[in-house]
Amino acid sequence: MELLKERILKDGHVKDADIIKVDGFLNHQIDIALMDAIGREFKRLFADEKITKVITIEASGIAIACFTALQFNVPLVFAKKSESKNIDGEVYKTTVTSFTHGRDYTVILEKRYLSPDDRIIIIDDILATGKAQRGLLDISAQAGATVVGIGIAIEKGFQGGGDALRKAGYNVQSLAIIDSMQDCKVKFRD
Amino acid sequence: MELLKERILKDGHVKDADIIKVDGFLNHQIDIALMDAIGREFKRLFADEKITKVITIEASGIAIACFTALQFNVPLVFAKKSESKNIDGEVYKTTVTSFTHGRDYTVILEKRYLSPDDRIIIIDDILATGKAQRGLLDISAQAGATVVGIGIAIEKGFQGGGDALRKAGYNVQSLAIIDSMQDCKVKFRD
């Protein structure tokens, strides 16, 4: 997606060979017009898939997932990162290791919100090692839901998570794939 | 807002005199059409205020804040609940006590995303004791930003946070105010 790639080049900040900050438009301050365009692009990419729900994980995937769900006219369900006293009933649970935060956390999703009847896309802002996405795949498998695809704004291709998921048979659609950030220069995959 | 009140009566579950679960449509599974309607209502309520940014706190305020920012055509900035190694630069910091989670957490917002030039509305899904909103007010004060108003989907009026903020001079607009949940019956403020 050219609009997103241009924005990464203009406003992304490479901090080292691993980390790029895109929090001026994607995951801290959020450019709503860009989110809307991203939602439309995911609609185009997964148009024929009869999606019933969009799934993401809190917090930075929620904005993109909202605008994707808006295009598909389906509910969004976001998995939650910790148990609160306000979660009851039966939940699906998994453990995710955060690359960004450097720790494990428990992720839950209430069983009533995901079922074998659901055809879902998993949406997230960043795909790096793929740990968060695999957590959502685990929850989807527990629910018996059909994962039609995985939609990602920015994939850090050099960390391998996206290609491993493709190898496992998932339809991973990343709007921008960064293959290298050597010498603070972003190189996109063709 | 009648649409929201009807939905609370239809799909909200009172768990005890303090807690109502609205996670079937507001903050776990999200009804996108309802979010869109809520965004339009906040636009109507704060139409003349020359808003430059919408501010919320992760995670459950993000969806409503997205659709509000969409209506105002301004960026959304969400305060983050913990430090990650991907936050650099100068940040505003405050401490918030979560009623739902029963613990304190640090909330941060990067300084570059909020300034004295900003006229903001604070948006959140639930207002109970007002702790989260006061955290965002603290951050806004540190930034020197002008808080034009506070927009809330559901205010638990009986917990007093909203009225205390009104008394302090803030323009708090809650789309549904619950004044009592005695005997599992929701009573709205007129």
Side-chain angles (χ1 to χ4, degrees):
Chain A
M1 187 189 186
E2 283 312 308
L3 185 68
L4 179 59
K5 288 182 187 172
E6 286 164 16
R7 192 61 178 274
I8 292 166
L9 294 178
K10 181 168 162 278
D11 292 329
H13 296 282
V14 179
K15 283 186 66 181
D16 60 36
D18 270 357
I19 296 178
I20 181 167
K21 278 174 67 73
V22 286
D23 65 2
F25 55 97
L26 189 65
N27 49 24
H28 185 21
Q29 176 169 262
I30 293 173
D31 180 327
I32 296 291
L34 180 65
M35 296 301 106
D36 193 43
I38 288 174
R40 288 170 199 275
E41 182 65 5
F42 284 135
K43 171 74 197 222
R44 190 182 71 79
L45 290 165
F46 296 108
D48 303 325
E49 296 288 3
K50 296 191 175 62
I51 307 296
T52 62
K53 270 173 192 170
V54 171
I55 306 292
T56 191
I57 190 168
E58 68 172 50
S60 52
I62 294 175
I64 292 179
C66 274
F67 287 97
T68 307
L70 176 69
Q71 290 301 319
F72 283 100
N73 195 24
V74 299
L76 157 67
V77 183
F78 68 89
K80 299 190 169 195
K81 272 181 185 167
S82 66
E83 291 178 72
S84 86
K85 63 181 178 182
N86 210 358
I87 289 281
D88 65 5
E90 297 282 306
V91 299
Y92 305 116
K93 246 187 221 192
T94 194
T95 303
V96 169
T97 305
S98 167
F99 173 77
T100 315
H101 296 80
R103 59 179 178 82
D104 286 359
Y105 49 86
T106 301
V107 170
I108 58 171
L109 192 148
E110 288 206 29
K111 288 190 177 175
R112 74 187 88 181
Y113 302 132
L114 200 55
S115 83
D117 297 333
D118 281 313
R119 292 175 58 81
I120 65 171
I121 42 175
I122 290 171
I123 295 287
D124 217 339
D125 57 334
I126 306 278
L127 189 163
T129 60
K131 296 275 171 60
Q133 291 75 27
R134 284 187 184 274
L136 292 174
L137 287 169
D138 181 25
I139 281 175
S140 305
Q142 291 175 47
T146 303
V147 178
V148 162
I150 299 173
I152 302 292
I154 302 176
E155 177 180 336
K156 289 151 80 179
F158 57 88
Q159 286 184 282
D163 290 334
L165 288 167
R166 289 182 187 97
K167 215 164 182 176
Y170 293 102
N171 178 14
V172 181
Q173 297 285 345
S174 298
L175 305 187
I177 303 179
I178 298 174
D179 267 343
S180 158
M181 303 195 297
Q182 287 298 321
D183 304 324
C184 293
K185 215 180 129 46
V186 170
K187 271 179 72 174
F188 294 111
R189 191 176 294 183
D190 287 332
Chain B
M1 186 188 185
E2 283 311 308
L3 185 68
L4 178 60
K5 288 182 187 171
E6 286 164 15
R7 192 60 178 274
I8 293 166
L9 294 177
K10 181 169 162 274
D11 292 329
H13 296 282
V14 179
K15 283 186 66 181
D16 60 35
D18 270 357
I19 295 177
I20 181 167
K21 277 174 69 73
V22 286
D23 65 2
F25 55 97
L26 189 66
N27 49 24
H28 185 21
Q29 177 169 259
I30 292 174
D31 180 327
I32 295 291
L34 180 63
M35 296 302 105
D36 193 43
I38 287 174
R40 287 170 199 276
E41 182 65 5
F42 284 134
K43 169 75 197 220
R44 190 183 70 78
L45 290 166
F46 296 107
D48 303 325
E49 297 287 4
K50 299 190 175 61
I51 307 295
T52 61
K53 272 175 191 168
V54 171
I55 305 291
T56 190
I57 189 168
E58 68 173 48
S60 53
I62 295 175
I64 293 179
C66 274
F67 287 97
T68 307
L70 177 67
Q71 290 301 318
F72 283 100
N73 195 26
V74 298
L76 157 67
V77 183
F78 68 88
K80 299 190 169 197
K81 271 182 185 166
S82 65
E83 291 177 72
S84 86
K85 63 181 175 182
N86 211 355
I87 290 281
D88 65 5
E90 296 283 306
V91 298
Y92 305 116
K93 246 187 220 193
T94 193
T95 302
V96 169
T97 305
S98 167
F99 173 78
T100 316
H101 296 82
R103 60 179 176 85
D104 286 358
Y105 49 87
T106 301
V107 170
I108 58 171
L109 193 148
E110 288 207 30
K111 288 190 177 176
R112 74 187 89 183
Y113 302 132
L114 201 55
S115 83
D117 296 333
D118 281 315
R119 293 175 57 82
I120 65 170
I121 43 176
I122 290 171
I123 295 287
D124 217 340
D125 57 334
I126 306 280
L127 190 162
T129 60
K131 296 275 171 61
Q133 292 75 27
R134 285 187 183 273
L136 291 175
L137 287 168
D138 182 24
I139 280 175
S140 306
Q142 291 175 47
T146 302
V147 178
V148 162
I150 300 173
I152 301 292
I154 303 176
E155 177 180 337
K156 289 151 79 179
F158 57 88
Q159 286 184 281
D163 289 334
L165 288 168
R166 290 183 187 96
K167 217 166 181 173
Y170 292 103
N171 179 15
V172 181
Q173 297 286 344
S174 297
L175 305 186
I177 303 178
I178 298 174
D179 267 343
S180 157
M181 303 195 297
Q182 287 297 323
D183 305 324
C184 294
K185 215 179 130 45
V186 171
K187 271 179 72 174
F188 293 110
R189 191 177 294 183
D190 287 332

